Amino acid sequence: MMLTMFLLNNKNIEQKRQQILNAIDKKMKSINIKQHLNYAKYAGPGWHKKIKRLLFAPQIVIKNKLNIFLKRRDIDFVNFNNNHDLLLNFIYNLNSLIELITMRFFVKTVSSNDVFYDIGAEKCLYTSLGIEFCKEIHSFEPLPEFFDILEKRFSKYPNVYLNNIALADKTGTRMFCKAPTTLIDDVKKFYKKVSEEIEVFTTTLDEYISHHQKPTFIKMDVEGAEHLILKGGEKFFKNNSPIIVMEILGAEFLSNSLKALDLLKEYGFKPFEILLDGEIKEIKYEDFLSAMDIYNYVFLK
């Protein structure tokens, strides 16, 4: 009986995996990959980048402006019958090549034994993915508006732990900027308009792990604060080998990413580029020194 249930569950997971990969493939065929890569290359503040985005990624710029003009709202994350439908709808409406590629890697790689930490969960994309495949999901989102979405959508799942806190290098409180969504002053200074800041609770990864299961798969997207998380998880990262997917910010933001990369190198991780098909290729840390775009990379021991 137990063996039959195990085989049925595995079959169900593989069917879900194929369905999601098919949805990602279909979406990727419908977008202009070259323009999306250009958009990522020239992402960030400043008129010079806005002009380059318009020149080299006009379809994406026009579509984004049109959505703002028409006041199109984000997906209603709460009113879906099940998580799988939510996820497929999310993919259908997703307009980010980087996230599609990263999702493809995630879906191909993750297993039912994984404990997934979604650090910088925002509006739930990767938490939703984790629910489809992982044994346990821990989501971290300090912004109240985004955390409210997570709580309404996922509080019913017994294997999902929702945390309205920021992971950092110390336990306490810290000022968090809503737009750009970051803890880091060096990121804020490049923006002419900075929205209000709120006080958020912080804890370290090492402290959190002392009371919870250790992660085997980590996604980190925290707008320049990655090095704080890596510092706060020094003990864990030195002695464990999770799969890490981390955003690297290039150009004017690169100094913060280099701090995180130095720590990963010290902890024994090797960097990998995610290719269009979701496979990975090992690269060198030196390759990041001239990084200009925003992209997700994989780090493995």
Side-chain angles (χ1 to χ4, degrees):
M1 181 68 176
M2 288 183 65
L3 178 59
T4 302
M5 290 298 292
F6 174 78
L7 292 173
L8 286 172
N9 187 51
N10 272 3
K11 184 179 179 181
N12 187 40
I13 288 174
E14 292 310 310
Q15 286 176 340
K16 286 182 181 180
R17 196 187 306 275
Q18 197 55 56
Q19 278 185 318
I20 294 169
L21 287 173
N22 288 342
I24 293 170
D25 290 344
K26 186 176 179 180
K27 180 65 180 182
M28 286 188 67
K29 287 176 182 176
S30 73
I31 64 177
N32 187 317
I33 289 176
K34 185 176 180 181
Q35 287 199 27
H36 274 271
L37 291 172
N38 285 336
Y39 194 87
K41 183 177 180 180
Y42 301 118
W47 280 105
H48 64 296
K49 287 195 173 183
K50 287 183 179 180
I51 292 169
K52 287 183 177 179
R53 288 199 294 272
L54 184 58
L55 287 173
F56 299 109
Q59 292 177 13
I60 301 169
V61 172
I62 292 168
K63 184 175 182 179
N64 289 345
K65 294 296 182 183
L66 185 62
N67 285 341
I68 293 170
F69 177 75
L70 296 175
K71 297 181 179 179
R72 287 178 178 164
R73 300 179 65 185
D74 288 330
I75 300 167
D76 185 346
F77 295 93
V78 178
N79 295 318
F80 275 85
N81 291 329
N82 58 67
N83 183 68
H84 191 68
D85 289 345
L86 167 67
L87 190 53
L88 292 176
N89 197 282
F90 209 142
I91 294 167
Y92 176 77
N93 287 281
L94 192 60
N95 193 36
S96 168
L97 175 65
I98 295 169
E99 298 304 347
L100 288 167
I101 294 169
T102 306
M103 287 172 66
R104 185 180 264 172
F105 166 77
F106 184 100
V107 175
K108 282 186 169 186
T109 308
V110 77
S111 80
S112 58
N113 292 320
D114 276 315
V115 176
F116 175 51
Y117 276 34
D118 187 4
I119 305 175
E122 203 181 51
K123 294 182 180 179
C124 85
L125 173 56
Y126 287 94
T127 293
S128 181
L129 266 180
I131 287 170
E132 293 295 286
F133 302 108
C134 299
K135 178 173 67 175
E136 200 169 285
I137 304 95
H138 297 254
S139 297
F140 302 85
E141 178 50 58
L143 193 61
E145 295 94 315
F146 291 163
F147 184 76
D148 184 54
I149 293 170
L150 288 167
E151 198 165 39
K152 286 177 179 176
R153 180 65 228 177
F154 301 122
S155 59
K156 64 183 179 182
Y157 292 94
N159 63 331
V160 177
Y161 296 80
L162 302 175
N163 300 280
N164 189 200
I165 57 175
L167 289 178
D169 56 341
K170 296 177 182 177
T171 296
T173 59
R174 209 170 189 129
M175 297 309 294
F176 183 87
C177 181
K178 285 189 170 185
T181 52
T182 185
L183 291 170
I184 306 298
D185 290 334
D186 283 352
V187 172
K188 300 173 201 171
K189 73 181 181 183
F190 289 106
Y191 290 84
K192 288 185 178 180
K193 293 183 180 180
V194 176
S195 70
E196 70 170 301
E197 296 188 59
I198 58 172
E199 190 174 62
V200 298
F201 290 103
T202 65
T203 191
T204 67
L205 190 62
D206 281 339
E207 171 60 26
Y208 185 86
I209 287 171
S210 69
H211 304 289
H212 299 89
Q213 288 266 31
K214 294 177 182 179
T216 58
F217 200 121
I218 297 172
K219 185 229 83 183
M220 216 184 299
D221 182 356
V222 289
E223 305 301 326
E226 289 81 6
H227 64 285
L228 300 181
I229 295 167
L230 291 165
K231 278 185 183 178
E234 180 178 9
K235 181 180 176 183
F236 168 73
F237 288 115
K238 281 186 174 180
N239 296 294
N240 296 274
S241 52
I243 298 170
I244 301 173
V245 176
M246 191 177 84
E247 183 182 65
I248 298 296
L249 303 176
E252 61 267 78
F253 306 115
L254 184 57
S255 60
N256 283 293
S257 290
L258 290 177
K259 292 176 187 176
L261 291 166
D262 285 343
L263 287 169
L264 285 166
K265 187 176 182 180
E266 178 187 329
Y267 298 158
F269 287 86
K270 295 179 180 179
F272 294 80
E273 178 185 0
I274 309 176
L275 305 176
L276 288 174
D277 62 0
E279 300 299 318
I280 57 174
K281 179 183 74 173
E282 187 173 356
I283 56 177
K284 299 177 181 178
Y285 277 104
E286 292 76 16
D287 295 337
F288 291 107
L289 296 176
S290 57
M292 294 300 296
D293 54 0
I294 297 174
Y295 206 80
N296 293 329
Y297 291 87
V298 174
F299 299 86
L300 304 172
K301 280 189 181 180

